[in-house]
PDB file of all heavy atoms in Angstrom:
ATOM      1  N   ALA A  17      67.390 114.485 106.537  1.00  0.00           N
ATOM      2  CA  ALA A  17      68.427 113.958 105.838  1.00  0.00           C
ATOM      3  C   ALA A  17      67.825 112.843 104.831  1.00  0.00           C
ATOM      4  O   ALA A  17      66.741 112.406 105.073  1.00  0.00           O
ATOM      5  CB  ALA A  17      69.486 113.294 106.790  1.00  0.00           C
ATOM      6  N   GLN A  18      68.617 112.692 103.874  1.00  0.00           N
ATOM      7  CA  GLN A  18      68.302 111.369 103.109  1.00  0.00           C
ATOM      8  C   GLN A  18      68.736 110.209 103.911  1.00  0.00           C
ATOM      9  O   GLN A  18      70.020 110.045 104.039  1.00  0.00           O
ATOM     10  CB  GLN A  18      68.854 111.472 101.596  1.00  0.00           C
ATOM     11  CG  GLN A  18      68.558 110.130 100.759  1.00  0.00           C
ATOM     12  CD  GLN A  18      66.969 109.961 100.751  1.00  0.00           C
ATOM     13  OE1 GLN A  18      66.277 110.718 100.159  1.00  0.00           O
ATOM     14  NE2 GLN A  18      66.611 108.823 101.247  1.00  0.00           N
ATOM     15  N   ALA A  19      67.801 109.362 104.353  1.00  0.00           N
ATOM     16  CA  ALA A  19      68.266 108.211 105.220  1.00  0.00           C
ATOM     17  C   ALA A  19      68.487 106.988 104.505  1.00  0.00           C
ATOM     18  O   ALA A  19      68.133 106.925 103.352  1.00  0.00           O
ATOM     19  CB  ALA A  19      67.194 108.107 106.389  1.00  0.00           C
ATOM     20  N   GLY A  20      69.012 106.111 105.234  1.00  0.00           N
ATOM     21  CA  GLY A  20      69.110 104.727 104.726  1.00  0.00           C
ATOM     22  C   GLY A  20      70.541 104.453 104.196  1.00  0.00           C
ATOM     23  O   GLY A  20      70.970 105.101 103.262  1.00  0.00           O
ATOM     24  N   VAL A  21      71.156 103.369 104.703  1.00  0.00           N
ATOM     25  CA  VAL A  21      72.487 102.937 104.216  1.00  0.00           C
ATOM     26  C   VAL A  21      72.365 102.222 102.851  1.00  0.00           C
ATOM     27  O   VAL A  21      73.081 102.677 101.891  1.00  0.00           O
ATOM     28  CB  VAL A  21      73.172 101.944 105.197  1.00  0.00           C
ATOM     29  CG1 VAL A  21      74.413 101.417 104.548  1.00  0.00           C
ATOM     30  CG2 VAL A  21      73.430 102.630 106.478  1.00  0.00           C
ATOM     31  N   ARG A  22      71.445 101.222 102.690  1.00  0.00           N
ATOM     32  CA  ARG A  22      71.363 100.591 101.389  1.00  0.00           C
ATOM     33  C   ARG A  22      71.035 101.428 100.186  1.00  0.00           C
ATOM     34  O   ARG A  22      71.473 101.307  99.149  1.00  0.00           O
ATOM     35  CB  ARG A  22      70.470  99.412 101.582  1.00  0.00           C
ATOM     36  CG  ARG A  22      71.071  98.297 102.481  1.00  0.00           C
ATOM     37  CD  ARG A  22      70.164  97.132 102.682  1.00  0.00           C
ATOM     38  NE  ARG A  22      70.584  96.284 103.855  1.00  0.00           N
ATOM     39  CZ  ARG A  22      70.062  96.024 104.910  1.00  0.00           C
ATOM     40  NH1 ARG A  22      68.860  96.552 105.016  1.00  0.00           N
ATOM     41  NH2 ARG A  22      70.584  95.226 105.938  1.00  0.00           N
ATOM     42  N   TYR A  23      70.050 102.401 100.455  1.00  0.00           N
ATOM     43  CA  TYR A  23      69.497 103.222  99.485  1.00  0.00           C
ATOM     44  C   TYR A  23      70.703 104.134  98.845  1.00  0.00           C
ATOM     45  O   TYR A  23      70.749 104.498  97.681  1.00  0.00           O
ATOM     46  CB  TYR A  23      68.377 104.036  99.862  1.00  0.00           C
ATOM     47  CG  TYR A  23      67.752 104.928  98.860  1.00  0.00           C
ATOM     48  CD1 TYR A  23      67.157 104.384  97.704  1.00  0.00           C
ATOM     49  CD2 TYR A  23      67.696 106.275  98.969  1.00  0.00           C
ATOM     50  CE1 TYR A  23      66.513 105.105  96.735  1.00  0.00           C
ATOM     51  CE2 TYR A  23      66.962 107.077  98.003  1.00  0.00           C
ATOM     52  CZ  TYR A  23      66.484 106.423  96.782  1.00  0.00           C
ATOM     53  OH  TYR A  23      65.868 107.335  95.926  1.00  0.00           O
ATOM     54  N   SER A  24      71.696 104.375  99.807  1.00  0.00           N
ATOM     55  CA  SER A  24      72.706 105.363  99.239  1.00  0.00           C
ATOM     56  C   SER A  24      73.638 104.643  98.151  1.00  0.00           C
ATOM     57  O   SER A  24      74.339 105.215  97.448  1.00  0.00           O
ATOM     58  CB  SER A  24      73.652 105.678 100.502  1.00  0.00           C
ATOM     59  OG  SER A  24      74.368 104.604 100.957  1.00  0.00           O
ATOM     60  N   LEU A  25      73.491 103.344  98.046  1.00  0.00           N
ATOM     61  CA  LEU A  25      74.213 102.605  97.093  1.00  0.00           C
ATOM     62  C   LEU A  25      73.521 102.714  95.632  1.00  0.00           C
ATOM     63  O   LEU A  25      74.203 102.724  94.661  1.00  0.00           O
ATOM     64  CB  LEU A  25      74.371 101.159  97.357  1.00  0.00           C
ATOM     65  CG  LEU A  25      75.492 100.649  98.250  1.00  0.00           C
ATOM     66  CD1 LEU A  25      75.318 101.194  99.758  1.00  0.00           C
ATOM     67  CD2 LEU A  25      75.572  99.179  98.364  1.00  0.00           C
ATOM     68  N   GLU A  26      72.218 103.001  95.698  1.00  0.00           N
ATOM     69  CA  GLU A  26      71.387 103.205  94.536  1.00  0.00           C
ATOM     70  C   GLU A  26      71.322 104.540  94.042  1.00  0.00           C
ATOM     71  O   GLU A  26      71.189 104.795  92.854  1.00  0.00           O
ATOM     72  CB  GLU A  26      69.970 102.566  94.823  1.00  0.00           C
ATOM     73  CG  GLU A  26      70.015 101.153  95.332  1.00  0.00           C
ATOM     74  CD  GLU A  26      68.529 100.780  95.711  1.00  0.00           C
ATOM     75  OE1 GLU A  26      67.542 101.362  95.421  1.00  0.00           O
ATOM     76  OE2 GLU A  26      68.544  99.782  96.601  1.00  0.00           O
ATOM     77  N   ASN A  27      71.168 105.563  94.956  1.00  0.00           N
ATOM     78  CA  ASN A  27      70.976 106.911  94.573  1.00  0.00           C
ATOM     79  C   ASN A  27      71.908 107.880  95.299  1.00  0.00           C
ATOM     80  O   ASN A  27      71.413 108.586  96.223  1.00  0.00           O
ATOM     81  CB  ASN A  27      69.482 107.207  94.868  1.00  0.00           C
ATOM     82  CG  ASN A  27      69.078 108.433  94.319  1.00  0.00           C
ATOM     83  OD1 ASN A  27      69.763 109.151  93.593  1.00  0.00           O
ATOM     84  ND2 ASN A  27      67.780 108.929  94.680  1.00  0.00           N
ATOM     85  N   PRO A  28      73.210 107.878  95.010  1.00  0.00           N
ATOM     86  CA  PRO A  28      74.052 108.666  95.921  1.00  0.00           C
ATOM     87  C   PRO A  28      73.790 110.168  95.661  1.00  0.00           C
ATOM     88  O   PRO A  28      74.037 110.941  96.606  1.00  0.00           O
ATOM     89  CB  PRO A  28      75.503 108.358  95.253  1.00  0.00           C
ATOM     90  CG  PRO A  28      75.233 107.639  93.942  1.00  0.00           C
ATOM     91  CD  PRO A  28      73.868 107.119  94.113  1.00  0.00           C
ATOM     92  N   ALA A  29      73.420 110.601  94.534  1.00  0.00           N
ATOM     93  CA  ALA A  29      73.117 111.976  94.379  1.00  0.00           C
ATOM     94  C   ALA A  29      72.082 112.584  95.396  1.00  0.00           C
ATOM     95  O   ALA A  29      72.275 113.723  95.839  1.00  0.00           O
ATOM     96  CB  ALA A  29      72.555 112.333  92.946  1.00  0.00           C
ATOM     97  N   ALA A  30      71.086 111.712  95.892  1.00  0.00           N
ATOM     98  CA  ALA A  30      70.183 112.232  96.827  1.00  0.00           C
ATOM     99  C   ALA A  30      70.788 112.597  98.096  1.00  0.00           C
ATOM    100  O   ALA A  30      70.411 113.519  98.835  1.00  0.00           O
ATOM    101  CB  ALA A  30      69.089 111.253  96.972  1.00  0.00           C
ATOM    102  N   TYR A  31      71.875 111.903  98.513  1.00  0.00           N
ATOM    103  CA  TYR A  31      72.580 111.931  99.691  1.00  0.00           C
ATOM    104  C   TYR A  31      73.509 113.190  99.681  1.00  0.00           C
ATOM    105  O   TYR A  31      73.578 113.958 100.645  1.00  0.00           O
ATOM    106  CB  TYR A  31      73.474 110.809  99.987  1.00  0.00           C
ATOM    107  CG  TYR A  31      72.505 109.550 100.393  1.00  0.00           C
ATOM    108  CD1 TYR A  31      71.807 108.966  99.502  1.00  0.00           C
ATOM    109  CD2 TYR A  31      72.228 109.223 101.784  1.00  0.00           C
ATOM    110  CE1 TYR A  31      71.004 107.912  99.872  1.00  0.00           C
ATOM    111  CE2 TYR A  31      71.383 108.235 102.123  1.00  0.00           C
ATOM    112  CZ  TYR A  31      70.844 107.534 101.071  1.00  0.00           C
ATOM    113  OH  TYR A  31      69.888 106.428 101.358  1.00  0.00           O
ATOM    114  N   ILE A  32      74.131 113.527  98.501  1.00  0.00           N
ATOM    115  CA  ILE A  32      74.958 114.562  98.393  1.00  0.00           C
ATOM    116  C   ILE A  32      74.055 115.909  98.459  1.00  0.00           C
ATOM    117  O   ILE A  32      74.500 116.899  99.072  1.00  0.00           O
ATOM    118  CB  ILE A  32      75.693 114.550  97.079  1.00  0.00           C
ATOM    119  CG1 ILE A  32      76.654 113.458  96.993  1.00  0.00           C
ATOM    120  CG2 ILE A  32      76.499 115.888  96.691  1.00  0.00           C
ATOM    121  CD1 ILE A  32      77.234 112.892  95.724  1.00  0.00           C
ATOM    122  N   GLN A  33      73.008 115.935  97.816  1.00  0.00           N
ATOM    123  CA  GLN A  33      72.109 117.096  97.767  1.00  0.00           C
ATOM    124  C   GLN A  33      71.568 117.417  99.145  1.00  0.00           C
ATOM    125  O   GLN A  33      71.654 118.597  99.670  1.00  0.00           O
ATOM    126  CB  GLN A  33      70.964 116.991  96.719  1.00  0.00           C
ATOM    127  CG  GLN A  33      71.427 117.050  95.247  1.00  0.00           C
ATOM    128  CD  GLN A  33      72.221 118.422  94.958  1.00  0.00           C
ATOM    129  OE1 GLN A  33      71.645 119.546  95.335  1.00  0.00           O
ATOM    130  NE2 GLN A  33      73.330 118.408  94.426  1.00  0.00           N
ATOM    131  N   SER A  34      71.002 116.327  99.875  1.00  0.00           N
ATOM    132  CA  SER A  34      70.252 116.579 101.037  1.00  0.00           C
ATOM    133  C   SER A  34      71.260 116.731 102.215  1.00  0.00           C
ATOM    134  O   SER A  34      71.130 117.634 103.003  1.00  0.00           O
ATOM    135  CB  SER A  34      69.199 115.535 101.314  1.00  0.00           C
ATOM    136  OG  SER A  34      68.623 115.707 102.511  1.00  0.00           O
ATOM    137  N   ASN A  35      72.074 115.770 102.277  1.00  0.00           N
ATOM    138  CA  ASN A  35      73.007 115.617 103.468  1.00  0.00           C
ATOM    139  C   ASN A  35      74.161 116.681 103.519  1.00  0.00           C
ATOM    140  O   ASN A  35      74.747 116.901 104.565  1.00  0.00           O
ATOM    141  CB  ASN A  35      73.409 114.173 103.722  1.00  0.00           C
ATOM    142  CG  ASN A  35      72.143 113.163 103.837  1.00  0.00           C
ATOM    143  OD1 ASN A  35      71.198 113.558 103.660  1.00  0.00           O
ATOM    144  ND2 ASN A  35      72.597 112.061 104.205  1.00  0.00           N
ATOM    145  N   LEU A  36      74.670 117.038 102.273  1.00  0.00           N
ATOM    146  CA  LEU A  36      75.714 117.952 102.203  1.00  0.00           C
ATOM    147  C   LEU A  36      75.283 119.252 101.923  1.00  0.00           C
ATOM    148  O   LEU A  36      75.509 120.260 102.667  1.00  0.00           O
ATOM    149  CB  LEU A  36      76.736 117.347 101.261  1.00  0.00           C
ATOM    150  CG  LEU A  36      77.389 116.030 101.652  1.00  0.00           C
ATOM    151  CD1 LEU A  36      78.457 115.591 100.589  1.00  0.00           C
ATOM    152  CD2 LEU A  36      77.986 116.011 103.041  1.00  0.00           C
ATOM    153  N   VAL A  37      74.678 119.457 100.760  1.00  0.00           N
ATOM    154  CA  VAL A  37      74.243 120.775 100.350  1.00  0.00           C
ATOM    155  C   VAL A  37      73.201 121.368 101.312  1.00  0.00           C
ATOM    156  O   VAL A  37      73.319 122.495 101.733  1.00  0.00           O
ATOM    157  CB  VAL A  37      73.640 120.797  98.833  1.00  0.00           C
ATOM    158  CG1 VAL A  37      73.107 122.168  98.464  1.00  0.00           C
ATOM    159  CG2 VAL A  37      74.799 120.440  97.889  1.00  0.00           C
ATOM    160  N   GLY A  38      72.307 120.549 101.685  1.00  0.00           N
ATOM    161  CA  GLY A  38      71.181 120.954 102.553  1.00  0.00           C
ATOM    162  C   GLY A  38      71.818 121.336 104.020  1.00  0.00           C
ATOM    163  O   GLY A  38      71.313 122.315 104.593  1.00  0.00           O
ATOM    164  N   PHE A  39      72.787 120.547 104.368  1.00  0.00           N
ATOM    165  CA  PHE A  39      73.329 120.764 105.755  1.00  0.00           C
ATOM    166  C   PHE A  39      74.213 122.155 105.692  1.00  0.00           C
ATOM    167  O   PHE A  39      74.080 122.949 106.658  1.00  0.00           O
ATOM    168  CB  PHE A  39      74.239 119.818 106.157  1.00  0.00           C
ATOM    169  CG  PHE A  39      74.778 119.968 107.641  1.00  0.00           C
ATOM    170  CD1 PHE A  39      73.890 120.023 108.732  1.00  0.00           C
ATOM    171  CD2 PHE A  39      76.113 119.993 107.939  1.00  0.00           C
ATOM    172  CE1 PHE A  39      74.313 120.118 109.982  1.00  0.00           C
ATOM    173  CE2 PHE A  39      76.504 120.033 109.217  1.00  0.00           C
ATOM    174  CZ  PHE A  39      75.588 120.077 110.357  1.00  0.00           C
ATOM    175  N   GLY A  40      74.661 122.415 104.572  1.00  0.00           N
ATOM    176  CA  GLY A  40      75.377 123.686 104.334  1.00  0.00           C
ATOM    177  C   GLY A  40      74.422 124.951 104.467  1.00  0.00           C
ATOM    178  O   GLY A  40      74.759 126.002 105.092  1.00  0.00           O
ATOM    179  N   HIS A  41      73.218 124.757 104.005  1.00  0.00           N
ATOM    180  CA  HIS A  41      72.227 125.779 104.077  1.00  0.00           C
ATOM    181  C   HIS A  41      71.734 126.007 105.651  1.00  0.00           C
ATOM    182  O   HIS A  41      71.496 127.066 106.080  1.00  0.00           O
ATOM    183  CB  HIS A  41      71.092 125.474 103.165  1.00  0.00           C
ATOM    184  CG  HIS A  41      71.355 125.611 101.731  1.00  0.00           C
ATOM    185  ND1 HIS A  41      70.690 124.785 100.777  1.00  0.00           N
ATOM    186  CD2 HIS A  41      72.327 126.215 101.124  1.00  0.00           C
ATOM    187  CE1 HIS A  41      71.068 125.020  99.657  1.00  0.00           C
ATOM    188  NE2 HIS A  41      72.122 125.952  99.757  1.00  0.00           N
ATOM    189  N   ILE A  42      71.765 124.858 106.328  1.00  0.00           N
ATOM    190  CA  ILE A  42      71.485 124.946 107.824  1.00  0.00           C
ATOM    191  C   ILE A  42      72.416 125.714 108.455  1.00  0.00           C
ATOM    192  O   ILE A  42      72.195 126.668 109.274  1.00  0.00           O
ATOM    193  CB  ILE A  42      71.282 123.559 108.345  1.00  0.00           C
ATOM    194  CG1 ILE A  42      69.999 122.813 107.861  1.00  0.00           C
ATOM    195  CG2 ILE A  42      71.095 123.594 109.955  1.00  0.00           C
ATOM    196  CD1 ILE A  42      68.558 123.509 108.205  1.00  0.00           C
ATOM    197  N   LEU A  43      73.766 125.529 108.299  1.00  0.00           N
ATOM    198  CA  LEU A  43      74.904 126.086 108.844  1.00  0.00           C
ATOM    199  C   LEU A  43      74.875 127.681 108.536  1.00  0.00           C
ATOM    200  O   LEU A  43      75.023 128.423 109.432  1.00  0.00           O
ATOM    201  CB  LEU A  43      76.224 125.426 108.470  1.00  0.00           C
ATOM    202  CG  LEU A  43      76.330 124.108 108.947  1.00  0.00           C
ATOM    203  CD1 LEU A  43      77.637 123.517 108.277  1.00  0.00           C
ATOM    204  CD2 LEU A  43      76.657 124.152 110.507  1.00  0.00           C
ATOM    205  N   GLU A  44      74.511 127.950 107.260  1.00  0.00           N
ATOM    206  CA  GLU A  44      74.492 129.358 106.890  1.00  0.00           C
ATOM    207  C   GLU A  44      73.374 130.108 107.530  1.00  0.00           C
ATOM    208  O   GLU A  44      73.510 131.244 107.992  1.00  0.00           O
ATOM    209  CB  GLU A  44      74.496 129.476 105.367  1.00  0.00           C
ATOM    210  CG  GLU A  44      75.758 129.282 104.638  1.00  0.00           C
ATOM    211  CD  GLU A  44      76.654 130.524 104.778  1.00  0.00           C
ATOM    212  OE1 GLU A  44      76.541 131.539 104.132  1.00  0.00           O
ATOM    213  OE2 GLU A  44      77.471 130.325 105.768  1.00  0.00           O
ATOM    214  N   GLY A  45      72.262 129.381 107.685  1.00  0.00           N
ATOM    215  CA  GLY A  45      71.094 130.070 108.443  1.00  0.00           C
ATOM    216  C   GLY A  45      71.384 130.348 109.805  1.00  0.00           C
ATOM    217  O   GLY A  45      71.071 131.391 110.278  1.00  0.00           O
ATOM    218  N   CYS A  46      72.016 129.391 110.473  1.00  0.00           N
ATOM    219  CA  CYS A  46      72.507 129.559 111.812  1.00  0.00           C
ATOM    220  C   CYS A  46      73.476 130.695 112.042  1.00  0.00           C
ATOM    221  O   CYS A  46      73.348 131.549 112.940  1.00  0.00           O
ATOM    222  CB  CYS A  46      73.000 128.334 112.437  1.00  0.00           C
ATOM    223  SG  CYS A  46      71.829 126.915 112.644  1.00  0.00           S
ATOM    224  N   ARG A  47      74.323 130.738 111.090  1.00  0.00           N
ATOM    225  CA  ARG A  47      75.502 131.757 111.122  1.00  0.00           C
ATOM    226  C   ARG A  47      74.858 133.150 110.979  1.00  0.00           C
ATOM    227  O   ARG A  47      75.267 134.056 111.749  1.00  0.00           O
ATOM    228  CB  ARG A  47      76.497 131.464 110.097  1.00  0.00           C
ATOM    229  CG  ARG A  47      77.580 132.554 109.752  1.00  0.00           C
ATOM    230  CD  ARG A  47      78.142 132.470 108.477  1.00  0.00           C
ATOM    231  NE  ARG A  47      78.989 133.532 108.115  1.00  0.00           N
ATOM    232  CZ  ARG A  47      79.504 133.730 106.919  1.00  0.00           C
ATOM    233  NH1 ARG A  47      79.228 132.963 105.935  1.00  0.00           N
ATOM    234  NH2 ARG A  47      80.221 134.848 106.698  1.00  0.00           N
ATOM    235  N   HIS A  48      73.986 133.321 109.940  1.00  0.00           N
ATOM    236  CA  HIS A  48      73.549 134.646 109.692  1.00  0.00           C
ATOM    237  C   HIS A  48      72.431 135.197 110.588  1.00  0.00           C
ATOM    238  O   HIS A  48      72.055 136.387 110.529  1.00  0.00           O
ATOM    239  CB  HIS A  48      73.106 134.759 108.136  1.00  0.00           C
ATOM    240  CG  HIS A  48      74.380 134.716 107.307  1.00  0.00           C
ATOM    241  ND1 HIS A  48      75.174 135.632 107.137  1.00  0.00           N
ATOM    242  CD2 HIS A  48      74.735 133.647 106.421  1.00  0.00           C
ATOM    243  CE1 HIS A  48      76.227 135.353 106.272  1.00  0.00           C
ATOM    244  NE2 HIS A  48      75.957 134.184 105.749  1.00  0.00           N
TER     245      HIS A  48
END
């Protein structure tokens, strides 16, 4: 995941891509 609480204030896009989009790919891989 994109870690770090304080860094999420500076670079929110990194968290959306890694922690949300990336997790979606993990779920899809497990499903299929």
Side-chain angles (χ1 to χ4, degrees):
Q18 178 55 62
V21 169
R22 295 183 186 114
Y23 185 60
S24 69
L25 278 65
E26 304 169 20
N27 190 3
Y31 291 76
I32 292 167
Q33 288 300 312
S34 180
N35 300 8
L36 298 181
V37 175
F39 189 57
H41 294 152
I42 293 292
L43 291 170
E44 280 290 275
C46 291
R47 169 197 172 192
H48 288 294

